[in-house]
Structures are given as C-alpha cells and as structure tokens.
Amino acid sequence: SDSHSHVKGGMKLGNIIKLMDKNNVDAILIMRRDNARINIGRNTPLTTNTELIEFRKLYPKRIRIGLGMQIEPWYSQDQTIIPKIRKQAASGNFKLIGETTLHGGHEKRPVPPSSPLFKEILRIASKHKLPVLIHHFHTGSDDAGQLLEAFRANSNLTIIWAHMCGFSKPDRIRELFREFPRLYCDLAWLPKKKRIAETGIVDMNFNFTPRWKNLIESYPDRFLVGADLTTKYQYGGEYTNSITRIRKALGGLSPEAARKVATENFHRILSNK
C-alpha cells in the first residue's frame, strides 16, 4: 500500500490505477500539490481536490486522499485559507492533512513549527481525528525543538512524520517512539537512489542496513512506505522501480514485520471506515 504520493496536473488519474495494478499495489494515498509547476508546463491545469474526490468515488477501496498543504497559501502563510481547510476537513473526503511542509532543507520559504497557521492545522486535525503528515528535516534544523513541543501539545493526534522521521537516526527514532506513542515514520524516500547516502536506511542494493532493520523489527507497527511521486513523468518513469525497490527492502524483514510495514499499518491508520 502506497501511503505517500502526489499529483499536480497533466496526467490522467486513471493511469495511477493501471500502475497500481501492474505493481500489485492495493491502495494509495494521494495529495495534490500546486507549488512550483515543475515538469508539467506552466499552462497545464492543476489537479483539484474536487477531481480527486470524484476519482476516489470511482475506486473507493483503492484511493485515499490527503488534504494537501503543499499549496501557495500555505507557503505564504495566508490565514484566509483556514475556513476552507475547516470545511474540507469536516467533509469526510480526506484521510489525513498533509503533506504539511515545514523546515525541509531545500524549501525556499520554510515554515516554522511555531507558526500560528500550523498550530491551527493541528487543532483542526485533532477535532476531526485526522492524522497529520509532516515534512520537516529534523536533523540539523534549528527549530526541531519547536516541532517536538507541537507534538507534546497535541498528544491525542496521530502524526506521520515523512522521510524517516525527518532524516532522524535509528537511535533518535527509538527515543521519539517512546515519548510519542501516536507517532509514525514514513519511509517515502527509501527507493530514491540519490537519498541513500543521506539517510543510510538501505544499501545500494536496497537492503535495510543493520541498525534500520533492527529498529523496524522492534517497532513494526510504526512504519509505512510510499513512492512519493508527483508528475505524470515521474509515475511513468519511476513508479515500477520505486515499488520494486520497496519490496526488495521489505523482503529482508521477518514476514510479520514486512506485512505490517507494507500494508497492514496503512489500512489500520487510513481505514476506509
């Protein structure tokens, strides 16, 4: 189950189902993006939440939608979007809020975890019992403490922290899991070769490295996987490779842990009920 992918525009959504069928992916969570129209053309219409909702209705067992926050009003911290977010969160159409990008290392306009808009997002998510998917590079950021304070202030909230809990190291993730029982780690950059050296999670053959394997086997209920693709060109050129690499890594785990990380955690946290 793919817990972390996106769409921008310029692609037929039905092609996602074809790629899922080809790669034996039973369900996917997708989120719209509208920041920087890279690789889709400046005049290409962006995919809307309305289109995603209609797509989900066609494939209710296979499609989950996240209320995407990688949008221009988020980066400009435009408070006027709050009523719309409240309405969308209450609609029942979305399974989480995110990906909510904070400090990300490569972001031109990073949003601090202390931002009033982020705090309001957390309140909305808590009210509607929606998980929040967060993008924040914990290692090396000067606002890491602010993020943990936000977690502590919202202890009833399910948090999915993207990209190996923000590039955290295994020993640090153990500490985080002990403190935050509703914290989950997504491994969405696992299949990206250019990230292997940065994360150390797998070797060049996509086998989990020993410390990461030990961590995941110790906490198999706390991890999810995702391809993290966005454009039609990425899906067409990378989806099959990404899923194959994820499967290679999961194949090195015990069967029980592999099932949980591959699909069972997805269906438990992002249930269709």
Side-chain angles (χ1 to χ4, degrees), residues 150-171:
F151 290 175
R152 294 181 184 113
N154 295 273
S155 59
N156 66 323
L157 190 60
T158 296
I159 300 289
I160 304 172
W161 193 348
H163 312 307
M164 289 63 80
C165 282
F167 284 10
S168 297
K169 302 300 182 184
D171 289 347

Side-chain angles (χ1 to χ4, degrees), residues 2-251:
D2 182 351
S3 70
H4 184 146
S5 279
H6 304 271
V7 290
K8 282 188 176 180
M11 70 180 296
K12 297 178 180 178
L13 293 176
N15 288 341
I16 293 176
I17 295 293
K18 293 178 182 178
L19 284 166
M20 291 167 66
D21 289 343
K22 177 181 177 180
N23 292 283
N24 196 26
V25 174
D26 69 332
I28 188 172
L29 184 133
I30 48 179
M31 300 159 279
R32 70 179 294 268
R33 295 181 66 177
D34 73 4
N35 62 310
R37 298 188 180 204
I38 55 169
N39 298 328
I40 64 171
R42 290 286 173 180
N43 297 320
T44 303
L46 291 163
T47 302
T48 66
N49 279 327
T50 299
E51 290 176 275
L52 291 180
I53 290 168
E54 293 303 311
F55 183 45
R56 179 186 60 82
K57 289 178 180 177
L58 293 175
Y59 303 96
K61 294 183 178 180
R62 307 192 68 186
I63 302 298
R64 314 285 196 278
I65 311 171
L67 181 48
M69 298 304 299
Q70 289 179 314
I71 55 177
E72 181 56 35
W74 170 257
Y75 288 100
S76 62
Q77 289 289 279
D78 182 353
Q79 296 284 329
T80 64
I81 66 168
I82 287 295
K84 185 174 183 179
I85 293 172
R86 288 190 183 123
K87 183 177 180 180
Q88 290 173 324
S91 70
N93 289 314
F94 301 93
K95 289 300 177 183
L96 58 72
I97 299 179
E99 185 175 358
T100 306
T101 302
L102 301 168
H103 169 81
H106 64 290
E107 297 297 335
K108 294 181 179 178
R109 291 178 293 168
V111 177
S114 60
S115 90
L117 186 50
F118 178 57
K119 292 178 179 179
E120 183 60 27
I121 293 296
L122 297 181
R123 283 191 286 268
I124 293 170
S126 180
K127 178 179 179 179
H128 297 289
K129 296 182 171 57
L130 292 173
V132 177
L133 175 63
I134 291 174
H135 176 118
H136 179 282
F137 288 178
H138 189 57
T139 303
S141 65
D142 57 7
D143 56 15
Q146 296 176 12
L147 182 63
L148 298 187
E149 285 304 312
F151 290 175
R152 294 181 184 113
N154 295 273
S155 59
N156 66 323
L157 190 60
T158 296
I159 300 289
I160 304 172
W161 193 348
H163 312 307
M164 289 63 80
C165 282
F167 284 10
S168 297
K169 302 300 182 184
D171 289 347
R172 180 54 177 147
I173 294 174
R174 285 180 188 274
E175 295 174 356
L176 293 167
F177 281 167
R178 292 185 188 117
E179 180 175 0
F180 303 108
R182 298 178 68 91
L183 173 65
Y184 297 85
C185 229
D186 102 7
L187 309 178
W189 276 353
L190 180 158
K192 297 181 184 293
K193 280 193 172 182
K194 67 179 181 179
R195 299 291 183 182
I196 286 177
E198 295 176 85
T199 63
I201 187 170
V202 293
D203 61 25
M204 291 302 295
N205 294 315
F206 295 95
N207 297 305
F208 284 118
T209 52
R211 291 174 64 210
W212 276 99
K213 180 178 178 179
N214 183 269
L215 173 68
I216 296 169
E217 291 279 7
S218 300
Y219 293 92
D221 295 318
R222 308 287 285 276
F223 289 91
L224 304 101
V225 289
D228 193 13
L229 301 179
T230 299
T231 68
K232 67 177 182 179
Y233 306 106
Q234 289 177 333
Y235 278 100
E238 300 177 35
Y239 198 80
T240 295
N241 283 340
S242 293
I243 299 302
T244 299
R245 291 166 179 174
I246 290 169
R247 278 205 170 88
K248 175 69 184 300
L250 294 177

